[in-house]
Amino acid sequence: MTEQSSNFLRTIIDNDLKAGLHTKIVTRFPPEPNGYLHIGHAKAICVNFGLAQEFQGETNLRFDDTNPEKEEQSYIDAIEEDIRWLGFTWQAPVKFTSDYFDQLHAWAVHLIEQGKAYVCDLNAEQLRSARGSLTEPGQDSPFRSRSVAENLELFAQMKDGAFDEGRCSLRAKIDMASPNLNMRDPIIYRIRKVEHHQTGNKWCIYPSYDFAHGQGDALEGVTHSLCSLEFEDHRPLYNWFLDQLPVPSRPRQVEFARLNLNYTITSKRKLKKLVDEQVVDGWDDPRMPTISGMRRRGVSPAAIRHFIDASGISRAVGTVVDLGMLEASIRDDLNDNAPRAMAVMNPLRVVLTNLPEGHQEILSMAAHPNKPELGERDVPLSRELWIDRDDFNLDSSLSRKKFKRLVPGDYVRLRGAYIIKAESFSQDADGQISEIQATVVADSVGNNIDGIKPRGVIQWVSAEHGLPATVRVYDRLFNHPTPDKGDNDFMSFINPDSLSILTDCIVEPSLKTAAPEASFQFEREGYFVVDRFDSTDDALVFNKTIGLRDVWQR
């Protein structure tokens, strides 16, 4: 978050500090370890960590591990890595809601002793039916009047594993007629006979998020519990628990609008379906809106942080940000920072007939046209080259305005090198162009030649020195702006052209030592990144991050 941006959260924190309510700001980021983080989580990370940094405070990373059936250590590891990669650090050590299970259990007993919680035998369907609606009050459970002693005994039996899952639950005793459905005797504890990734088999009852959330904040001294707007209706319950329990501090919950992007889904359940049904190649597939997927696609942390800041923080409900805005941040970042290189996606051989056999010369080209500090790269030129097949057209009558590349009998400049003229060409048995014979215009490297005006500039790679590469060309995963809105089946809007794999590409030899996750602008093609997992010195693999221009606008 930049110092120039302004939002209501910053104002709240600033006012609380000026009023002397706190001497240090403490925020928290509490992900559930049941999947990978996505672009929506990136906003929550930037908000919580960014504001704490700005006010010289700290942020806790606390895993909300109250649902062990869906949680895995691999998700915990991925979440920690994503946060570090985005450029943030948390107040050590990493925390877990399960760290507080003993205290939460003691506080549940406290509520029972105060007559504010009871064991309820209604099953899930009966609970839903008795809850009422927005226009009708709920109905008291027939077990609401159990004595304190009976509730203590039953809750102890729940803890000891005496009951099957679903047999009963512990509910807060609040108000079944409340206009806020969250206050209608919400569940505090459920029976879950599942081994926990942190506590093993110690527990067979687990607290609800609503019960654990505020108490975890209070135990950690969190001053500002910054949540997305869907938790606004939960705030009265958050505060109710704090009011009833002897908590050591009093956090304040404040809500802000979540990040909604068109052409994107951010439901972890739906993202998991894409993974499980192998629509994508894992959570870090470069088409996924996960942080790890964007990283593998070549998006930088700086681009994500800039986008989050530019999209703003508000309480406006239902605001949808155009995916093009994120793509523009990515493109601007890469344009400023990505070194240049040449790659040929669909190779066509060119023989420079007026150069001798074995000819080789080294041309020096800037790594970046606007960043001399990045230095230069050596690019070898030989008698035989590769150009892109799309850069040659048999129709020599095409005007220069319509086709600014190579045609028989005309000139084009090789990027950073000579002007060449296509003299003739060869075709295979199927009529496909197999080779172009061209001549070099002497002394034309870096020079204009009187009487010769090239049609345009094309990229090229030495046939002798070029490196084979696989290029994965990615596009948007969905071809509908709201793939999961309403009754839409998001799976029906998968873009069939979201991935194409080019296996015969040739790249310039300077890329042989490119490090994993290094990004480049391939001249006239777009921005590409060395795949962090699959690319090797002997088998280069590049992922397309984004094109040079926004083709979706058209």
Side-chain angles (χ1 to χ4, degrees):
M1 299 176 64
T2 65
E3 294 183 0
Q4 290 76 22
S5 64
S6 179
N7 62 71
F8 74 100
L9 295 178
R10 179 178 286 107
T11 300
I12 287 172
I13 293 174
D14 190 45
N15 289 341
D16 286 351
L17 286 171
K18 289 177 179 176
L21 298 180
H22 311 287
T23 57
K24 181 176 69 173
I25 295 302
V26 180
T27 63
R28 87 290 171 269
F29 178 61
E32 184 177 357
N34 62 352
Y36 279 44
L37 301 182
H38 52 63
I39 185 65
H41 294 114
K43 178 175 182 178
I45 291 169
C46 290
V47 168
N48 279 283
F49 285 87
L51 284 170
Q53 283 183 357
E54 181 179 339
F55 288 96
Q56 292 78 52
E58 60 190 39
T59 302
N60 295 335
L61 171 60
R62 180 175 77 239
F63 287 99
D64 169 34
D65 55 346
T66 58
N67 189 7
E69 292 169 294
K70 298 181 179 180
E71 298 165 0
E72 297 178 10
Q73 183 63 42
S74 63
Y75 295 143
I76 293 172
D77 296 340
I79 289 169
E80 291 184 22
E81 184 175 356
D82 285 345
I83 296 171
R84 290 192 191 96
W85 178 77
L86 277 174
F88 299 106
T89 56
W90 51 86
Q91 181 68 18
V94 173
K95 297 169 176 60
F96 295 85
T97 298
S98 56
D99 295 339
Y100 314 129
F101 277 177
D102 287 306
Q103 180 63 77
L104 291 170
H105 173 264
W107 278 339
V109 171
H110 176 85
L111 290 176
I112 295 173
E113 292 173 339
Q114 299 299 310
K116 295 174 180 176
Y118 63 96
V119 174
C120 180
D121 293 353
L122 296 181
N123 62 33
E125 183 178 346
Q126 292 168 330
L127 283 169
R128 282 192 296 270
S129 177
R131 194 182 189 202
S133 66
L134 293 174
T135 57
E136 295 181 351
Q139 300 173 357
D140 284 357
S141 166
F143 309 100
R144 200 172 194 263
S145 59
R146 279 173 165 161
S147 68
V148 168
E150 184 180 5
N151 284 316
L152 288 172
E153 174 62 25
L154 289 170
F155 189 52
Q157 292 180 41
M158 286 175 59
K159 177 179 179 293
D160 292 340
F163 303 128
D164 293 335
E165 289 191 16
R167 163 67 173 74
C168 54
S169 60
L170 183 68
R171 299 174 66 184
K173 187 186 290 187
I174 307 179
D175 181 5
M176 289 302 293
S178 172
N180 186 332
L181 271 65
N182 296 296
M183 302 295 284
R184 295 182 184 177
D185 291 11
I187 290 176
I188 301 176
Y189 268 90
R190 292 182 175 88
I191 301 171
R192 290 285 187 272
K193 294 188 175 180
V194 180
E195 184 174 352
H196 193 280
H197 50 88
Q198 298 294 316
T199 61
N201 291 308
K202 177 179 178 180
W203 298 92
C204 64
I205 56 171
Y206 292 98
S208 67
Y209 178 81
D210 277 327
F211 181 57
H213 182 200
Q215 282 55 261
D217 289 346
L219 287 166
E220 295 173 7
V222 169
T223 59
H224 296 81
S225 182
L226 308 178
C227 307
S228 50
L229 272 174
E230 61 260 38
F231 291 99
E232 182 176 26
D233 289 340
H234 294 250
R235 186 178 356 123
L237 181 57
Y238 181 96
N239 290 331
W240 186 88
F241 283 127
L242 295 175
D243 290 338
Q244 311 310 314
L245 297 170
V247 293
S249 69
R250 181 74 186 210
R252 177 184 180 183
Q253 178 174 306
V254 187
E255 306 85 18
F256 60 93
R258 65 185 297 172
L259 176 62
N260 297 301
L261 276 175
N262 60 8
Y263 293 96
T264 307
I265 62 171
T266 52
S267 160
K268 278 197 284 188
R269 177 180 59 83
K270 294 175 181 177
L271 293 175
K272 189 174 187 300
K273 184 175 182 180
L274 293 172
V275 174
D276 291 345
E277 297 190 11
Q278 299 182 341
V279 175
V280 295
D281 186 23
W283 287 93
D284 63 353
D285 186 297
R287 293 166 291 178
M288 291 279 273
T290 55
I291 295 174
S292 58
M294 290 187 288
R295 175 181 180 178
R296 193 169 181 186
R297 188 157 173 169
V299 180
S300 75
I304 294 175
R305 293 195 303 266
H306 178 270
F307 164 70
I308 296 298
D309 194 55
S311 62
I313 300 172
S314 73
R315 287 181 52 82
V317 179
T319 301
V320 178
V321 178
D322 185 6
L323 181 58
M325 184 176 175
L326 171 59
E327 293 172 339
S329 291
I330 296 168
R331 192 177 286 110
D332 289 346
D333 175 73
L334 290 169
N335 182 56
D336 289 343
N337 297 298
R340 276 40 173 176
M342 291 189 291
V344 175
M345 303 299 184
N346 188 9
L348 173 61
R349 186 177 295 273
V350 175
V351 179
L352 304 177
T353 57
N354 60 338
L355 294 181
E357 294 281 352
H359 177 86
Q360 177 178 313
E361 60 184 290
I362 303 298
L363 302 174
S364 184
M365 299 186 189
H368 193 292
N370 301 318
K371 288 198 166 185
E373 65 271 20
L374 294 182
E376 297 187 337
R377 66 192 200 274
D378 291 334
V379 182
L381 181 140
S382 54
R383 186 173 187 267
E384 296 188 9
L385 310 175
W386 297 111
I387 68 168
D388 200 283
R389 190 170 292 274
D390 290 340
D391 284 343
F392 179 73
N393 197 301
L394 282 175
D395 188 357
S396 58
S397 68
L398 285 172
S399 69
R400 293 185 168 216
K401 185 176 181 180
K402 288 185 177 181
F403 191 73
K404 299 180 179 181
R405 306 172 198 177
L406 193 59
V407 298
D410 209 344
Y411 297 92
V412 76
R413 180 178 288 279
L414 301 176
R415 170 71 68 184
Y418 291 99
I419 298 171
I420 64 170
K421 179 181 181 182
E423 305 286 359
S424 59
F425 56 87
S426 304
Q427 295 174 283
D428 60 22
D430 297 323
Q432 293 291 317
I433 305 299
S434 57
E435 181 181 289
I436 298 170
Q437 294 85 42
T439 53
V440 165
V441 176
D443 301 322
S444 61
V445 176
N447 299 314
N448 294 321
I449 304 299
D450 290 342
I452 296 178
K453 185 178 181 180
R455 296 174 71 96
V457 180
I458 62 174
Q459 72 268 35
W460 56 276
V461 176
S462 164
E464 181 180 348
H465 303 92
L467 305 173
T470 296
V471 174
R472 299 166 178 160
V473 180
Y474 292 100
D475 203 346
R476 295 180 181 181
L477 183 57
F478 296 100
N479 54 22
H480 191 285
T482 54
D484 61 346
K485 184 178 181 180
D487 296 330
N488 286 351
D489 174 13
F490 73 98
M491 298 289 279
S492 67
F493 295 116
I494 299 293
N495 177 11
D497 300 319
S498 64
L499 170 62
S500 55
I501 300 177
L502 309 178
T503 58
D504 298 322
C505 305
I506 308 293
V507 299
E508 68 174 65
S510 67
L511 297 177
K512 183 174 180 59
T513 57
E517 297 190 88
S519 291
F520 299 89
Q521 183 195 99
F522 288 172
E523 305 272 1
R524 296 176 51 241
E525 294 288 351
Y527 298 97
F528 297 78
V529 65
V530 181
D531 188 272
R532 60 188 296 227
F533 298 125
D534 296 338
S535 190
T536 66
D537 290 344
D538 298 323
L540 293 172
V541 178
F542 292 90
N543 299 328
K544 184 174 183 178
T545 307
I546 200 165
L548 297 175
R549 289 169 294 279
D550 184 358
V551 297
W552 283 82
Q553 289 288 347
R554 300 197 294 272

